[in-house]
Structures are given as structure tokens and as C-alpha cells.
Amino acid sequence: MAAWIGELHRRGLAAGTIRKAYLVASQILDAAVDDGCLGRNPAKGVRLPRQVTREPHFMTADQVGKLADAAGAHRLAILTLALTGLRFGEFAALKVSRLEVDRSRLYVAEAVTVVGSQLVWSTPKSHARRHVPVPRSLLPLLVTACEGKSREDLIFPSQTGGPIRLNNWRRRVFDRACADAGLVGFTPHDLRHTAASLAISVGANVKAVQRMLGHASAAMTLDIYAGLFADDLDQVGSRLDSLVPQMCHNDGWEPSGEGMTEVGNAP
């Protein structure tokens, strides 16, 4: 297994691609162990190439609108990704039955990714199914996209009727739309980051963002988007300041701010 991983790395495959291939192989070997065909999973403990984390990029609402308009027939796909924060594999796997119109929710229960040249269906990345809120203004567009389809049909199929493949979609749709909209340096995954940014900008707390994105923990959400919550610290300070007068009853001290010095000039 280690030799195979090394060969994939030498062939120039990206770390993320190698990790996906490893995950599928490891799951197959786990099944072989469960069936008694193997004594142990030889994939366990194999070191994988380090995946470099790219700083998240965020689009403004205006930029999302320009990108969606430039995408033409794929406008709804752009808006759905930018307003729900779905991973692309989750988006590509969305079936008509997963749209809950009465609750204005999408039920994320599976994902589809490309490993080599094959499409692999699985549970979401964290293996936790979840409900994702859909903005009310987006809901009628999704309902229209589902019209005439059976419950098991894909909401966003490819031209051949199967799941959309990320690399093809990026090249044919996303990159072209970015160029037409004058947007530089963005990737399809930045639409997920953008959804988080927009949600935080309208007041969503870290727990709500975690649930929307399907992160394993709120700590993970904070690790990625801590900078977007920075203004909350100022609000906490201001709110605590309003409580100080209630603490000053008998000692004659009244907070005024007078006599304060810059930290660097403190005696």
C-alpha cells in the first residue's frame, strides 16, 4: 500500500486526489477484513502526502450575482453553491427527493466524487447526514428545476444525465463565468467559503455555520473562519462595559476612562 501511494505521488497526482483514492481502497480492504479474506487492513497507518491548506477566498454578494449572471444556464448551480455551502460532491449528488419544500431545506445524505475515471458514491465527508437551509427566494427556482423529474432523478444532472464531474464543470462553466465576470483567483470550493461568509455576515453563529457546512465540530469551523467572527469581540467588550456601573456601589469609583495610558507608555 505504501508503495502504491508513493507511485501515485511520483506520477504527480495532487495530495487530495491521492487521499480520496486511499480512502476508497481502505474501505474495500476493511470490507475484506470483515469478510474474513484478510487478517488486517494493510492500509492502516500508511503515511499520506501532506495536503497544503489554501487560505479561503470569499466573494461578496455582488460578485456572486455577477458570477451567476455570467454562468447563463448554470446560474442556479452557482447560487445554490454560494448560498447553501454544499461541498461539490454533495451538490452533484442532490436528488429531487432531497428537496424539502415545506421546510425550505435540502437534505444532504450522500456525495459523489471522481476517483480515477470512476464515480464513487458515499456518505458526506463527515459521514453525518444533515439538513441545510435554503433561502426562500431560491426555493421556487429549485422547485422549477425539479419539475418533470422522478424523486430519484438528480436536480443538477450533467448533459449525459449522470452526476456533474467537478473538473469538467470547472473548466466549462465556472472558469469561463469567472473570466466573463472579471473575477480572478477563485475556485469552485470558494463558493462554499462564500456561503459561510455570507451566513456570518447576516448574524449566523458558529454553531449554525457548523451545522450548515457539515463540519465535525464548531472548533473546526472556527479554525477556518475565525477571522470572520472577530467583530464579536468588540461587541462582547461593549456589552460587558455596560455592566460595570452595576459593580461600583461602595468604593466611590466611577469608570470614566480618564488617566488611561497607551500600553506601550505605561510606567
Side-chain angles (χ1 to χ4, degrees):
M1 178 60 72
W4 177 61
I5 294 296
E7 176 61 23
L8 294 180
H9 187 59
R10 284 190 294 273
R11 285 166 50 188
L13 272 68
T17 301
I18 294 174
R19 286 173 176 268
K20 289 177 183 177
Y22 166 83
L23 177 61
V24 173
S26 183
Q27 289 173 337
I28 293 172
L29 293 170
D30 277 338
V33 172
D34 292 341
D35 290 342
C37 299
L38 289 176
R40 58 177 294 275
N41 184 346
K44 298 296 185 183
V46 173
R47 294 184 62 182
L48 300 175
R50 185 170 63 90
Q51 191 166 2
V52 178
T53 302
R54 173 178 172 270
E55 286 295 320
H57 291 181
F58 311 106
M59 295 183 194
T60 64
D62 181 64
Q63 288 175 323
V64 171
K66 290 179 179 178
L67 180 63
D69 289 342
H74 299 270
R75 179 173 182 268
L76 180 57
I78 296 292
L79 292 175
T80 300
L81 288 164
L83 291 172
T84 64
L86 295 178
R87 300 178 180 94
F88 194 87
E90 297 168 345
F91 160 81
L94 279 178
K95 295 176 181 176
V96 171
S97 60
R98 307 302 188 192
L99 177 62
E100 300 179 359
V101 178
D102 292 343
R103 300 182 60 201
S104 195
R105 296 281 192 277
L106 286 170
Y107 181 48
V108 180
E110 54 193 337
V112 59
T113 55
V114 179
V115 178
S117 61
Q118 301 298 313
L119 289 169
V120 177
W121 291 79
S122 63
T123 56
K125 187 173 181 179
S126 61
H127 303 293
R129 300 180 178 189
R130 70 188 189 280
H131 285 89
V132 175
V134 176
R136 286 287 179 182
S137 55
L138 190 65
L139 192 59
L141 302 178
L142 288 171
V143 170
T144 299
C146 293
E147 290 178 352
K149 297 179 180 179
S150 71
R151 288 177 54 80
E152 293 305 302
D153 285 342
L154 296 170
I155 299 178
F156 297 98
S158 67
Q159 292 180 348
T160 60
I164 298 173
R165 295 176 181 241
L166 174 57
N167 288 342
N168 292 342
W169 188 82
R170 177 175 182 175
R171 184 177 67 256
R172 298 171 182 171
V173 177
F174 184 84
D175 288 347
R176 290 182 181 180
C178 281
D180 291 343
L183 301 176
V184 179
F186 289 104
T187 70
H189 194 70
D190 289 326
L191 293 173
R192 177 169 163 84
H193 293 316
T194 295
S197 172
L198 295 176
I200 294 168
S201 73
V202 297
N205 61 45
V206 64
K207 197 65 181 177
V209 176
Q210 176 213 339
R211 292 174 60 192
M212 181 179 81
L213 298 181
H215 285 162
S217 67
M220 180 178 178
T221 306
L222 281 174
D223 283 343
I224 301 172
Y225 303 115
L228 299 179
F229 292 96
D231 290 342
D232 289 351
L233 295 178
D234 294 332
Q235 295 176 19
V236 169
S238 298
R239 291 169 182 170
L240 287 174
D241 192 51
S242 68
L243 300 177
V244 171
Q246 302 175 37
M247 306 175 189
C248 309
H249 300 298
N250 303 318
D251 59 4
W253 174 64
E254 293 183 4
S256 66
E258 294 182 3
M260 295 178 65
T261 63
E262 292 292 334
V263 172
N265 297 327

